[in-house]
Amino acid sequence: MTLRDFQSNDIVDLEAVVNPRDSSTRKELPPVNGTPDTIGRYFNWKSETVMSAFRFAPQVEHFTTHHKELGLDSQKILGRLKKESSNSSNDFAMIYRSQRLRPGYHNETHVSLTAAQGTKLFLGGLSELYESNQNSKSFADNNPGKLQQLTEIALFILTRHEQDDWWNRRSIEDQQKRPIDKVWELSQQQARVHVLASCRELGITPEEFNYLLTLDTFATPLAQSVENVVNGTPLQDSFFSNTVSKPTFEWLGSDKEVHEMFFTLLGKTARAADFMQIFNPNYYRRALIFTDDSPVGGVLSNVGSVALAYEFHQFRPQAAKLFGWLKEDGSINWNAIGVGKKFLRDFALPNIELGVGYLKRFNTVEGGHVEEIVAALKEAVA
């Protein structure tokens, strides 16, 4: 099936768009054939992507060396990322230890990859703020070590960005078989203890953690999310549900403009890094889906979309409605699974574009690759 055939069904062949511009060595992977269950169950993220084909640690070291004005320590940044990624990975395993089914898409690897990519975006954004905004420059110059703290807080939030959403969900099947699971409840309590320990180490409060997580709620416009955090707008279903105080963010000083700049940077970073997952080779890898009602020869899709739909099917079927993946009876329409033009136009591309400039400032070559892909995808959905 050609790219034109995909587009006639309102589905874009990501592999055809990304591969010619992908700098990784794992290109033209053979299609995966099977049922949605088979494909979804064995999905895994590839650590080498269009964004991370270059060695990550030397990139960070090169950036901090060439931006000494920011006062950043590359080893502390890399150490924090490794520590918090490991912490979140361990908690993911602990949380789902009593469950038969666990998220296979929004899992610990997804979080680690998002955080690694977010590191690049956040650092690029910091340098842009420092150079373009006098208020930001004065804040950094007058508070030595502050940008280091903000960076480590950002990495912590990125490694925990699914904590209050996917990682507090049991599968529908597990809930039906065991409505009350004391091990699950204990695991959630232990996860909160572990998250709180990192909060204390980094100098943020539970209330502040709750609010910073909301900056990645892509269903809410970023400007509105930032305003809600600045104003301490009451939250619903927060991770630390027993908090009652408004966040103060004393570590950001008293200048509200500085608050808004940091929250906007973190929000752009989290949203862009989260959506850049569609450039992962195993996300855009072609998949042939076979079901009882699929046409002869199967339905051509991509592995990441099938894995996401399979996770929706297990944990929150109604969420698939947003992408047009539901039948009238509420079940998953496997014949419609794929990266649709509406998804790219309304969700993925606007969020990815939030971070392209930051990535180019961090690494011009890597940022240039992503910029080319975004341009090609825009042309594909036009």
Side-chain angles (χ1 to χ4, degrees), residues 8-299:
S8 66
N9 295 319
D10 197 44
I11 300 296
V12 176
D13 184 358
L14 271 184
E15 187 169 74
V17 176
V18 177
N19 261 334
R21 303 163 180 87
D22 191 345
S23 59
S24 73
T25 58
R26 297 186 61 81
K27 295 166 37 171
E28 298 296 342
L29 297 171
V32 177
N33 305 335
T35 64
D37 179 86
T38 300
I39 296 173
R41 188 181 297 274
Y42 294 102
F43 170 78
N44 67 292
W45 295 100
K46 293 296 183 184
S47 60
E48 183 184 18
T49 74
V50 69
M51 291 88 64
S52 61
F54 303 92
R55 294 172 60 215
F56 178 73
Q59 278 186 325
V60 175
E61 292 169 357
H62 180 271
F63 178 87
T64 56
T65 298
H66 286 77
H67 291 277
K68 293 186 180 298
E69 71 279 3
L70 301 179
L72 298 174
D73 185 321
S74 63
Q75 294 308 304
K76 288 183 178 179
I77 291 171
L78 295 168
R80 176 60 61 181
L81 179 62
K82 181 179 180 180
K83 177 179 180 178
E84 297 302 343
S85 292
S86 176
N87 287 344
S88 65
S89 180
N90 290 338
D91 275 355
F92 180 81
M94 178 194 68
I95 288 170
Y96 286 98
R97 59 184 167 173
S98 65
Q99 306 300 298
R100 192 182 79 83
L101 299 173
R102 61 180 63 186
Y105 181 98
H106 291 100
N107 57 18
E108 75 277 29
T109 309
H110 158 75
V111 164
S112 295
L113 290 174
T114 299
Q117 185 61 18
T119 302
K120 303 177 183 183
L121 303 181
F122 190 83
L123 292 177
L126 271 187
S127 76
E128 180 179 289
L129 274 178
Y130 186 88
E131 292 180 18
S132 65
N133 188 285
Q134 183 58 44
N135 225 10
S136 175
K137 183 178 185 303
S138 297
F139 173 74
D141 291 344
N142 293 329
N143 295 276
K146 184 57 65 175
L147 295 188
Q148 180 73 35
Q149 181 190 15
L150 299 189
T151 300
E152 294 189 37
I153 289 173
L155 302 192
F156 168 54
I157 296 300
L158 288 166
T159 61
R160 295 291 182 169
H161 78 272
E162 299 293 359
Q163 200 80 49
D164 63 334
D165 187 6
W166 279 102
W167 292 11
N168 68 0
R169 295 178 182 275
R170 301 172 63 206
S171 72
I172 296 170
E173 180 181 324
D174 282 327
Q175 292 180 63
Q176 291 172 341
K177 289 185 176 180
R178 190 184 303 171
I180 298 176
D181 186 339
K182 293 185 178 180
V183 176
W184 167 267
E185 295 172 359
L186 176 61
S187 297
Q188 289 290 344
Q189 293 173 11
Q190 289 178 327
R192 286 181 171 81
V193 171
H194 298 163
V195 172
L196 184 58
S198 287
C199 286
R200 287 171 175 160
E201 184 177 345
L202 290 164
I204 65 175
T205 67
E207 291 87 356
E208 290 164 351
F209 178 83
N210 284 341
Y211 278 88
L212 292 177
L213 283 185
T214 67
L215 293 169
D216 190 31
T217 307
F218 72 89
T220 303
L222 178 58
Q224 184 62 58
S225 293
V226 171
E227 182 180 336
N228 291 343
V229 176
V230 171
N231 296 332
T233 303
L235 301 177
Q236 294 181 343
D237 302 321
S238 55
F239 180 70
F240 289 110
S241 58
N242 59 339
T243 60
V244 294
S245 303
K246 284 190 174 183
T248 60
F249 302 108
E250 291 182 0
W251 36 275
L252 276 174
S254 58
D255 190 333
K256 293 301 181 183
E257 182 182 345
V258 172
H259 289 207
E260 291 178 5
M261 286 189 295
F262 173 71
F263 300 147
T264 300
L265 171 56
L266 180 54
K268 286 183 176 181
T269 293
R271 294 177 187 220
D274 213 354
F275 274 93
M276 282 181 180
Q277 65 198 326
I278 71 173
F279 301 147
N280 189 287
N282 247 9
Y283 183 97
Y284 64 70
R285 184 179 186 178
R286 294 187 183 111
L288 273 175
I289 309 173
F290 293 92
T291 64
D292 291 339
D293 61 352
S294 63
V296 177
V299 176

